[in-house]
Amino acid sequence: MIRADELAPHYSAFRVSERLLLTGHSHQAWPDVAREGVLEAWEDAARHVDEKWERAFVKAERVREGFRRLLGEPGGEIALDQNTYGLVLRFLSALDLRRRPRLITSDGEYHTLRRLLARLSEEGLEVVQLPARPAGMLAERLAAELDERASAVLVSAVLFEDARIVPGLDDLARACEAVGVELLVDAYHALGCVPFELPAPTVWVVGGGYKYLQLGEGNCFLRLPPHADELRPALTGWYAEFQEMAAEKTPGAVPYPKGGARYAGATYDPTSHYRAARVFDFFEEQSLSPERLRESYLHQTTLIARLFDDLGLPDETITRDRETPLERFGGFVALEAPGAEEISRRLAETGVLTDSRGRYLRLGPAPYVSDEQLDAAVSALPGAVRR
């Protein structure tokens, strides 16, 4: 078991021992060593000026290695970007949407997909949006919508509103492969709190490190299946030909490299990769493996659930799903309340930082949060609810 009292001192700048930070599912504290990465980025820029990029690309590769380890795929091809939005755009632009204009998804996807797909639907693409719940049958219901007009299925491994794990993605991957449909899995709310197994080699995986991985902003990835080299993203950045900049250009021709560079964007701030590379090293130094982190989060979410139940608050005011085992949830506890946003605001006034999504108040621990801090945070709930 990860001991919060041993880990917390490594996060002194964020004062995790002095604050009740239950937003671990949204933004975790950075370990103090992240500062070393930021300073190294500054020093490389000051010392090498525009020649810094050779060193920056070494950091970028370290970030890819970190994501490969989490995906259990040491040789996997990884494209990086500042956010998942740019990666999803390039993925969608590589599909044959004229011939197969149907995209299949759920109403439980993060805002990146929700807003983008809704707007594309207004422009004539056929977007099929299924209810995300019950999550236990979501993959099966998505598979039932597959046909020859479908280009892709886009679904989360863990739903961002209430932390439900979506099972059956391996069966969904096989169903997609059988009819030539791409499967994009959003693993953002899984990596770092739920060990992630690649459903199939043909699957695309998108995610990032802003949440459980403590990498901060600017560190997102797209895992590419082997056949990604057969596609040509229409929204292509000039970094896709970065290695060939000195080559003579053929007017009108748009060549593509193989691998992650094929889905590359354009100029970015490499500071994020310096910071992330140092944090990935820190996780290894502290033996913060996916398995140990899962054990820690399950302990914490189980404790939060028990402490909440012990409060005996009226279900019509605030409640939780007590029928689904906690093992089927990710790294936070979602409490359902009509005034979730207001309750979160009131908790913040008492020094307990949470957040809300719709009708869900989300309590997200982190491995540096102690049991005593969780007790204190949950104990503030009755006052916030009754007000």
Side-chain angles (χ1 to χ4, degrees), residues 1-5 7-8 11 14 16-17 19-31 192-193 210-214 283 288 292-301 303-304 330-333 353 363-374 377:
M1 175 66 68
I2 297 171
R3 291 188 54 178
D5 60 334
L7 196 60
Y11 300 80
F14 275 73
V16 299
S17 297
R19 307 157 78 185
L20 298 179
L21 300 177
L22 266 70
T23 53
H25 52 289
S26 180
H27 179 287
Q28 293 209 2
W30 303 345
C193 68
Y210 185 69
K211 305 179 190 300
Y212 300 97
L213 298 178
Q214 305 173 8
F283 266 51
L288 300 179
R292 288 191 73 209
L293 288 167
R294 176 58 170 166
E295 179 187 25
S296 176
Y297 281 108
L298 266 180
H299 166 78
Q300 291 178 314
T301 54
L303 177 59
I304 291 172
F332 65 93
V333 175
L353 299 186
L363 308 183
Y368 47 74
V369 177
S370 69
D371 290 0
E372 292 74 20
Q373 288 176 302
L374 295 179

Side-chain angles (χ1 to χ4, degrees), residues 8 18 35 58 92 193 226 264 288 337 342 372 380:
E18 306 166 31
R35 178 183 173 88
V58 171
L92 290 174
C193 68
L288 300 179
E342 179 66 13
E372 292 74 20

Side-chain angles (χ1 to χ4, degrees), residues 113-295:
L113 285 180
R114 175 192 59 78
R115 179 178 174 85
L116 177 60
L117 295 184
R119 184 67 182 90
L120 291 176
S121 178
E122 292 180 347
E123 292 299 317
L125 284 180
E126 183 183 349
V127 177
V128 178
Q129 187 184 78
L130 303 182
R133 299 164 189 84
M137 299 295 291
L138 177 56
E140 183 177 336
R141 288 184 285 116
L142 290 168
E145 294 289 336
L146 295 172
D147 62 18
E148 69 282 354
R149 287 174 52 79
S151 278
V153 173
L154 306 97
V155 64
S156 293
V158 176
L159 300 178
F160 83 100
E161 288 182 311
D162 60 6
R164 294 178 189 274
I165 295 173
V166 178
L169 294 179
D170 50 350
D171 291 334
L172 176 58
R174 285 190 288 269
C176 287
E177 186 175 359
V179 293
V181 174
E182 305 295 343
L183 174 58
L184 177 73
V185 175
D186 183 346
Y188 217 136
H189 277 81
L191 297 184
C193 68
V194 178
F196 183 82
E197 293 185 12
L198 197 64
T202 54
V203 172
W204 306 70
V205 182
V206 69
Y210 185 69
K211 305 179 190 300
Y212 300 97
L213 298 178
Q214 305 173 8
L215 305 183
E217 301 87 344
N219 291 292
C220 291
F221 74 93
L222 177 66
R223 181 269 174 187
L224 307 177
H227 67 274
D229 282 342
E230 301 170 12
L231 307 182
R232 301 173 76 243
L235 301 179
T236 181
W238 74 274
Y239 264 41
E241 57 181 41
F242 191 92
Q243 300 301 326
E244 305 296 332
M245 290 304 294
E248 185 175 347
K249 305 296 185 294
T250 302
V254 186
Y256 287 84
K258 293 184 180 296
R262 195 178 190 87
Y263 294 80
T267 311
Y268 64 98
D269 180 359
T271 303
S272 59
H273 290 165
Y274 278 80
R275 184 180 64 237
R278 188 62 189 92
V279 174
F280 270 131
D281 289 343
F282 171 78
F283 266 51
E284 291 189 22
E285 292 161 5
Q286 300 297 318
S287 300
L288 300 179
S289 66
E291 292 73 23
R292 288 191 73 209
L293 288 167
R294 176 58 170 166
E295 179 187 25

